Amino acid sequence: MYPVSIVGAGPGDPDLLTVKAHRLIEEANVILHDNLVSDTIMTINTDGEKIYVGRKFGDTSDQIERQQKINELLEANYLLGKKVVRLKSGDPYVYGRAAEEARYLTAKKIPFQVIPGISAALAAANIFNIPITERNKSNAMLICTAHTADYSFEQLTGIAHMLKAGNTISIYMGLKSLHRIIPKLLEVCKDDTIPVNAASNVSRVHQEIITGTLGSIEEQIKNSALQMPVVLIIGANPIL
């Protein structure tokens, strides 16, 4: 029996896959894949069964039921003796919900392995030359999700204080919540010149970045055709 492989597909460019991830994808009998896994990565496997289990922005399906279905598919295909890959965009443990699947497999005594992938914020920082940590400027980067803006202003205030202290902030899934995020950051930091980078489709053919400030980025994005997925990197300027 082969262990289930929970694999990080990175931001989209197949050249950014780890060697192990590429091999496991290529050899898989069945791949359960998310929405943001790129088509070029999916074409690495030519013979295996591909099962879409992702969700898109605005999806209103019951997430508990959806996750249970994924867990059961992993178990069923493992018991059939297949090489099973659970393919996630980015890194499995950075907003990839791998923990829920790992706990299920552990409870079922099903062996598994987790293969890291390059998360979008790290890919964007390197591709667009944004030093997220730099001597005498920033000694930390916080990775967070825009959902804090919807669920807890206390958390968003804490994030703003980290930014004010000179740290770099990376916000995932934040494009639709800018109207909540920016005012809170400005309220705490009281500096509308802090740099903001909005990186779209990182590492893919149509990748794009808009660089502005806390004071300008909302208007810049409003006047653009920037497409999701977008990751925000706040507090560091690109080296141009």
Side-chain angles (χ1 to χ4, degrees):
M1 304 286 276
Y2 302 98
V4 172
S5 298
I6 302 174
V7 177
D13 182 350
D15 287 343
L16 295 180
L17 289 168
T18 65
V19 173
K20 189 171 187 178
H22 191 287
R23 175 175 58 79
L24 290 169
I25 294 167
E26 188 174 40
E27 296 176 353
N29 301 126
V30 60
I31 298 175
L32 282 68
H33 63 97
D34 284 343
N35 177 50
L36 292 178
V37 176
S38 69
D39 292 340
T40 49
I41 287 177
M42 291 303 299
T43 59
I44 291 171
N45 184 292
T46 56
D47 299 317
E49 180 184 6
K50 296 165 185 176
I51 304 173
Y52 174 74
V53 293
R55 65 187 294 259
K56 300 178 181 179
F57 178 79
D59 188 344
T60 58
S61 62
D62 186 281
Q63 294 308 303
I64 295 175
E65 291 180 6
R66 173 180 162 275
Q67 188 60 61
Q68 184 61 25
K69 179 182 177 182
I70 293 170
N71 295 342
E72 291 171 357
L73 283 169
L74 292 174
E75 180 182 12
N77 282 282
Y78 165 78
L79 292 174
L80 289 173
K82 295 181 179 181
K83 295 178 181 178
V84 182
V85 164
R86 174 68 176 100
L87 192 56
K88 297 176 176 288
S89 62
D91 182 90
Y93 281 134
V94 180
Y95 304 119
R97 301 193 180 190
E100 297 174 50
E101 289 154 18
R103 290 191 182 102
Y104 180 88
L105 295 171
T106 299
K108 295 290 185 176
K109 295 183 169 49
I110 296 173
F112 68 92
Q113 57 183 334
V114 181
I115 313 304
I118 299 176
S119 194
L122 301 181
N126 286 276
I127 288 170
F128 295 112
N129 294 305
I130 305 169
I132 51 179
T133 63
E134 187 174 6
R135 185 171 52 193
N136 299 324
K137 292 187 177 182
S138 172
N139 62 5
M141 181 182 76
L142 173 67
I143 293 179
C144 54
T145 169
H147 292 313
T148 55
D150 297 324
Y151 304 147
S152 170
F153 273 100
E154 182 180 350
Q155 287 184 10
L156 190 56
T157 299
I159 290 167
H161 279 289
M162 287 195 67
L163 180 63
K164 185 179 181 181
N167 298 297
T168 306
I169 308 298
S170 176
I171 301 180
Y172 286 60
M173 298 168 279
L175 191 62
K176 299 297 183 180
S177 299
L178 275 179
H179 64 291
R180 291 189 175 96
I181 296 168
I182 298 297
K184 180 57 69 173
L185 297 181
L186 284 170
E187 177 186 320
V188 172
C189 297
K190 299 183 180 357
D191 181 0
D192 65 2
T193 67
I194 291 174
V196 180
N197 306 280
S200 164
N201 285 305
V202 177
S203 86
R204 306 189 187 206
V205 174
H206 302 297
Q207 71 177 11
E208 182 183 359
I209 188 169
I210 294 177
T211 294
T213 65
L214 285 181
S216 70
I217 195 67
E218 283 190 272
E219 191 66 23
Q220 287 176 264
I221 290 175
K222 187 186 300 183
N223 293 327
S224 75
L226 199 69
Q227 298 294 311
M228 293 190 288
V230 170
V231 61
L232 302 170
I233 300 178
I234 306 173
N237 274 312
I239 298 171
L240 301 175

